[in-house]
Amino acid sequence: GDITAGHDFGEERVELSVPEFAAGAAGEISSVCGRQSQRTSVALTPARKWTVLMVPHVHIDVGFTDYQAKVAEIQSRLLDEAMQMIQDHPDFRYSTDGYWAMQEFMAGRDADDRKRLLQMVRDHKIFAPAEYANLLTEFPAVETLIRSLYPSFQFDRKNGADFDYANITDVPSQGWSYPSVLAAAGLKYFLSGSNPGRGPIVMFSDLPERSPYWWQGPDGNKVLMWYAYGYGGMSSVLGMPPKIVNGHDVLPRFLQWYSTPKYKSSTVLLYGAQGENSDLFPQHASIAEDWNKVYAYPKLAYSGIADAMSRIAAELGDSIPVIKGDG
């Protein structure tokens, strides 16, 4: 087709739609400019048929944006918003950042609101992690780490939820005893949504690219861990509010981290909707459907942490590495 440049001098980026092709397909590029023509042979390799499992979530940070009582109400309001978004878009999912948000909601809402939330917990559409709150895990005694799991365990057992994962968001500390504590409690999965500015271990390592990996504690027990580059992944890749045009440019760069021979799965996890203590953009609940109407791949879908990690682990099989030590 004809190319109309947007400027008089410089490079021009051009996109062409082509039929699906297999790896190693031979192609030819032919260009004509005035009296000059050129042909170039190329070998084409398609990207994987990716599925991006988005885990909508908003970080709890007491004191950073406001005092505790207001943060508690904001986190409760987030659950109000998530429930409405799930009602409008049944495939949407939401994960709280600690059981504390669930506790505050149950203490501050009426019976109808509590009943509605508990039903969505039972339906595995809203999730609460095992930890009560994000702890600096190297400061507490091991007993405190263990007891921090009690409220969520009791809540899950009473309401039919799966007590199977924990997460730490923002706070750059995961002491080596933590995988042993989590595994001993029967938890299978652990996710860290890093703060790469204040905890730059994630920027000076290959832990995100190696995720998921078995994090093995001092006693030999392990949990499957995913180390995310941040905790507002949906906003980083799709923008705020999320838009298809943003994902068109940024999503391929996100997937480059996992487009290696070592990462054998065609499924990746994208953690978090947006920053701490902020209301959800309603577009978060519709972006997957809107995107999938335009593009066959990468496919966008909503998920909880445990469901996403379980699916990815099944695809990776025996290729998952084992890592020991403090984080």
Side-chain angles (χ1 to χ4, degrees):
D2 293 336
I3 299 173
T4 302
H7 43 258
D8 295 331
F9 179 79
E11 296 181 345
E12 189 78 16
R13 179 178 176 180
V14 180
E15 285 194 2
L16 302 172
S17 295
V18 298
E20 184 176 5
F21 52 87
E28 184 178 82
I29 300 172
S30 176
S31 60
V32 179
C33 183
R35 296 181 179 180
Q36 302 295 320
S37 64
Q38 184 174 345
R39 292 177 180 271
T40 304
S41 297
V42 293
L44 301 174
T45 299
R48 294 183 211 181
K49 293 183 176 180
W50 292 104
T51 297
V52 179
L53 295 179
M54 302 182 296
V55 177
H57 145 282
V58 175
H59 175 43
I60 297 171
D61 200 328
V62 174
F64 181 70
T65 61
D66 222 312
Y67 59 92
Q68 181 167 326
K70 187 171 181 180
V71 170
E73 176 53 30
I74 291 171
Q75 292 293 328
S76 294
R77 191 169 67 204
L78 280 163
L79 284 166
D80 290 328
E81 294 165 357
M83 287 190 291
Q84 184 61 49
M85 291 161 78
I86 291 170
Q87 182 174 320
D88 297 338
H89 303 274
D91 290 337
F92 186 69
R93 300 291 181 266
Y94 184 72
S95 301
T96 64
D97 193 34
Y99 173 72
W100 180 76
M102 199 75 72
Q103 175 182 281
E104 291 299 312
F105 184 95
M106 297 299 287
R109 292 295 192 266
D110 63 24
D112 288 341
D113 287 337
R114 295 196 299 268
K115 181 179 179 181
R116 187 180 178 207
L117 175 64
L118 292 177
Q119 187 59 54
M120 291 196 175
V121 169
R122 296 186 186 104
D123 292 341
H124 297 87
K125 295 185 176 182
I126 289 181
F127 307 93
E131 78 282 353
Y132 180 75
N134 288 295
L135 298 175
L136 286 159
T137 56
E138 293 179 339
F139 282 89
V142 171
E143 182 175 354
T144 302
L145 297 178
I146 294 171
R147 288 182 178 272
S148 71
L149 309 175
Y150 283 15
S152 181
F153 174 77
Q154 293 166 352
F155 176 85
D156 287 355
R157 183 170 59 178
K158 181 178 179 181
N159 295 293
D162 295 326
F163 184 78
D164 53 6
Y165 82 96
N167 68 266
I168 287 182
T169 308
D170 189 5
V171 182
S173 164
Q174 293 106 50
W176 194 19
S177 63
Y178 208 46
S180 296
V181 169
L182 297 178
L187 296 164
K188 302 175 182 178
Y189 309 108
F190 175 66
L191 183 145
S192 175
S194 73
N195 183 329
R198 295 185 173 88
I201 181 174
V202 74
M203 303 305 292
F204 297 104
S205 74
D206 62 351
L207 293 179
E209 291 91 337
R210 297 177 73 182
S211 297
Y213 51 82
W214 293 108
W215 187 19
Q216 186 175 47
D219 63 350
N221 286 321
K222 298 176 290 187
V223 290
L224 190 66
M225 179 171 174
W226 185 279
Y227 210 143
Y229 277 95
Y231 52 88
M234 293 177 68
S235 296
S236 297
V237 171
L238 299 166
M240 288 198 303
K243 297 178 181 178
I244 292 175
V245 65
N246 297 328
H248 171 276
D249 291 338
V250 182
L251 189 54
R253 294 203 291 271
F254 168 74
L255 292 171
Q256 282 179 359
W257 291 330
Y258 305 99
S259 299
T260 66
K262 290 183 179 179
Y263 191 84
K264 301 182 184 303
S265 173
S266 60
T267 307
V268 296
L269 190 158
L270 183 61
Y271 181 57
Q274 51 203 63
E276 41 272 281
N277 308 328
S278 56
D279 286 300
L280 285 167
F281 283 98
Q283 294 92 329
H284 280 305
S286 60
I287 188 62
E289 180 181 359
D290 295 342
W291 174 276
N292 293 335
K293 287 179 181 177
V294 178
Y295 300 107
Y297 294 97
K299 189 181 298 295
L300 300 185
Y302 303 107
S303 179
I305 289 175
D307 291 341
M309 293 183 67
S310 173
R311 173 172 169 174
I312 293 169
E315 293 181 9
L316 290 172
D318 295 335
S319 67
I320 301 174
V322 177
I323 294 179
K324 304 177 183 179
D326 281 309

